[in-house]
């Protein structure tokens, strides 16, 4: 799989698309054993850490700034898509009931964030649009999985009452968020008051998403919302309660873990082809393919229409209320809609449909639902995924807002932090500067440090003085870095500075502090 990922990077194709295609090709080789995808593997093993990492990567300020459109996309788009799929499937598929249609709609309505972000690695959308897509991806799985649960109950019990479903949906959402925040608060207390080190901090962070998800699911709540809400809270806390060493180690480990998990599941999608075709039957393959292509078209069309309508409605409503972007135009909505590639959560949901109803009868149209889901994933992931970079180049979308460039933001933050550092040295450590050549000539740090290291390596009386100078330098620079870090936190509250720029500067401070400790060790 590593070689396939390298090949995808060489070909400049998003690795999820390349791995799905590779899995499809390998599955067609005679003698390759059939691979069965267990839904528990996705929902319990893979989904929690992937969502937890996504919650860490998203900007809280952007999530709040674009909260209206994110809420509409995560809730409205999913419900709109599920409803359209439900009625169309009842119309074109003989014997399909409305409950089964809503079940299918719930399964194929949420786009896959991992696929979208991987595709956009080579053709970036404006930062505001990326923030909206990332925010949607955090919440749409919760909406679709909750709708999936209610549709499954309706089919199994043949009993469905709308007001009970609406009340149940509200309770699931509220309880899921509450459970996530509770675990987030508990983790804050552990990180803040217990004597943990970097390894313990990382171990806790790996266990947290599983604890959140399993606890919520144990009480029939939303494990997805628990992980997302808890992950957002923990992500905000890490800037204040994690040591620099914990942040550096955690960032490296989590990026590797999530990459491996995503690579595995996309490869498994491709390997599902023989088993899914076998389930639907060779005789009904052509008819099932026709149904799948029609429903795929509906899924793409509905999201596109919803995006354009949202743009028109935003332009109209901006006359009466304050909105983040008064005139979104049509380019951004079209590209955001085209970025609706489906992925592993949809396939796992379809696989989770039980084989039998409570009365012992076979679950109606289960194999057909699984086949349609698989086809929707293939068409959207490969078709839309490969064409999205081309569409971005053609449409050339403009940002939804006028912001300072990343370079300007970074320049202003660095300038103020260096000014604070200079003030810290000149006003609070003037006597130290007069005594320590390293503090006098910070700009010539490497040259002076080399000389001091030479003295420290000698056998005469300069050894002790050199060691004292090094230790003194580390103590003062640690205070300077701490002052810079405190000043950096003020930029988190300023809306004109992006979280990723602040995180970049924080990473630089972490590396400087790590270098000081490495020198000491």
């Amino acid at each position: 799989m590593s070689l396939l990922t390298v090949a995808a990077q060489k070909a400049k194709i998003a690795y999820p698309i390349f791995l799905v295609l590779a899995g499809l090709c390998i599955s067609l080789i005679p003698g390759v054993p059939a691979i069965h995808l267990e839904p528990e593997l996705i929902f319990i093993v893979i989904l929690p850490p992937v969502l937890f990492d996504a919650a860490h990567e998203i900007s809280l300020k952007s999530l709040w700034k674009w909260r209206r459109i994110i809420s509409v996309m995560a809730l409205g788009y999913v419900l709109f898509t599920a409803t359209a799929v439900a009625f169309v499937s009842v119309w074109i598929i003989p014997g399909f009931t409305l409950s089964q249609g809503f079940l299918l709609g719930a399964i194929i309505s949420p786009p896959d964030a991992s696929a979208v972000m991987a595709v956009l690695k080579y053709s970036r959308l404006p930062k505001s649009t990326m923030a909206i897509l990332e925010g949607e991806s955090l919440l749409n799985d919760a909406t679709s999985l909750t709708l999936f649960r209610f549709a499954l109950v309706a089919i199994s019990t043949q009993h469905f009452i709308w007001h009970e479903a609406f009340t149940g949906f509200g309770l699931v959402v509220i309880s899921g968020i509450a459970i996530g925040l509770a675990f987030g608060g508990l983790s804050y207390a552990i990180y803040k008051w217990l004597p943990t080190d970097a390894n313990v901090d990382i171990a806790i962070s790996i266990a947290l998403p599983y604890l959140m998800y399993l606890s919520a699911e144990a009480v029939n709540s939303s494990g997805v919302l628990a992980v997302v809400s808890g992950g957002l809270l923990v992500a905000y806390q890490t800037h204040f309660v994690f040591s620099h060493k914990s942040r550096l180690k955690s960032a490296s480990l989590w990026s590797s873990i999530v990459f491996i998990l995503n690579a595995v599941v996309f490869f498994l999608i491709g390997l599902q082809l023989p088993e899914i075709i076998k389930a639907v039957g060779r005789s009904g393959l052509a008819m099932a393919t026709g149904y799948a292509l029609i429903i795929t078209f509906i899924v793409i069309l509905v999201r596109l229409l919803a995006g354009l309508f949202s743009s028109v409605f935003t332009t109209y409503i901006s006359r009466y209320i304050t909105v983040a972007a008064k005139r979104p135009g049509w380019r951004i909505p079209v590209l955001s809609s085209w970025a609706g590639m489906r992925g592993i959560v949809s396939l796992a949901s379809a696989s989770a449909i039980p084989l039998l109803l409570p009365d012992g009868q076979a679950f109606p149209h289960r194999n057909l639902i699984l086949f349609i889901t698989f086809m929707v994933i293939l068409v959207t992931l490969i078709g839309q995924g490969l064409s999205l970079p081309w569409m971005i180049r053609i449409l050339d979308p403009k940002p939804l807002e006028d912001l300072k460039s990343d370079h300007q933001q970074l320049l202003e933050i660095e300038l103020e932090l260096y000014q604070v550092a200079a003030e810290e040295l000149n006003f609070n450590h003037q006597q130290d500067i007069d005594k320590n050549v390293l503090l006098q000539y910070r700009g010539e740090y490497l040259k002076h440090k080399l000389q001091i290291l030479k003295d420290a390596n000698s056998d005469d009386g300069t050894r002790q003085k050199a060691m004292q100078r090094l230790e003194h330098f580390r103590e003062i620079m640690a205070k300077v870095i701490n002052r810079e870090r405190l000043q950096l936190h003020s930029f988190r509250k300023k809306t004109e500075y992006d979280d990723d720029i602040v995180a970049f500067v924080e990473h630089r401070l972490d590396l400087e502090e790590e270098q000081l400790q490495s020198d000491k060790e």
Side-chain angles (χ1 to χ4, degrees), residues 19-35 267-277 282 374 378:
L19 289 175
V20 168
L21 290 173
L24 284 171
C25 295
I26 293 174
S27 69
L28 297 176
I29 298 176
V32 174
I35 303 296
F267 188 65
L268 287 176
I269 287 179
L271 292 176
Q272 299 301 298
L273 178 61
E275 183 176 356
I276 292 175
I277 291 179
R282 296 283 181 180
F374 184 78
L378 285 187

Side-chain angles (χ1 to χ4, degrees), residues 397-415:
K398 304 302 178 185
L400 292 174
E401 52 186 344
D402 294 325
L403 291 176
K404 299 176 182 178
S405 66
D406 288 357
H407 175 74
Q408 184 64 28
Q409 293 182 48
L410 182 60
L411 177 62
E412 293 179 7
I413 293 176
E414 292 278 17
L415 182 60

Side-chain angles (χ1 to χ4, degrees), residues 432-445 447-449 451-452 455 469-470 472-473:
D432 300 303
I433 292 175
D434 296 335
K435 298 176 183 178
N436 194 317
V437 68
L438 289 178
L439 295 175
Q440 291 177 28
Y441 302 101
R442 183 66 178 92
E444 298 179 350
Y445 169 75
K447 181 179 69 175
H448 291 291
K449 182 178 179 182
Q451 183 60 51
I452 292 176
D455 293 340
R469 286 179 180 178
L470 282 174
H472 190 205
F473 174 77

Side-chain angles (χ1 to χ4, degrees), residues 13 51 57 70 77 86 95 139 170 183 199 269 287 339 356-357 395:
I13 298 176
L51 289 173
E57 293 298 321
I70 289 174
Y77 282 21
L139 302 176
F183 274 100
N199 292 328
I269 287 179
M287 187 67 70
L356 301 176
L357 294 172
L395 296 181

Side-chain angles (χ1 to χ4, degrees), residues 5 14 27 276 281 296 314 365 383 388 390 396 411 417 471 480 509:
T5 304
S27 69
I276 292 175
T296 302
T314 299
H365 300 290
L388 182 59
W390 174 79
D396 189 23
L411 177 62
L417 263 59
E471 183 61 27
V480 172
L509 294 177

Side-chain angles (χ1 to χ4, degrees), residues 68-69 72-82 84 109 136 297-314 328-330 332-338 342:
R68 290 193 181 96
I69 183 60
V72 169
M73 293 176 71
L75 182 62
Y77 282 21
V78 169
L79 294 177
F80 186 31
T81 302
S109 55
E136 179 201 8
F297 173 76
I298 294 298
V299 166
I300 296 174
L301 179 63
V302 166
R303 184 175 172 88
L304 179 62
L305 293 176
L308 293 173
F309 174 79
S310 297
S311 177
V312 173
F313 181 76
T314 299
W330 62 272
I332 291 294
V334 167
L335 290 174
S336 299
S337 301
W338 199 253
R342 273 55 179 178

Side-chain angles (χ1 to χ4, degrees), residues 14 41 63 77 96 127 130 137 139 155 205 231 236 345 376 390 414 428 452 462 467 500:
L41 174 68
L63 190 63
Y77 282 21
F96 225 66
K127 190 175 290 186
M130 294 285 290
S137 69
L139 302 176
I155 296 173
S205 71
Y236 182 76
V345 172
V376 171
W390 174 79
E414 292 278 17
N428 297 333
I452 292 176
T462 60
M467 296 300 295
D500 59 338

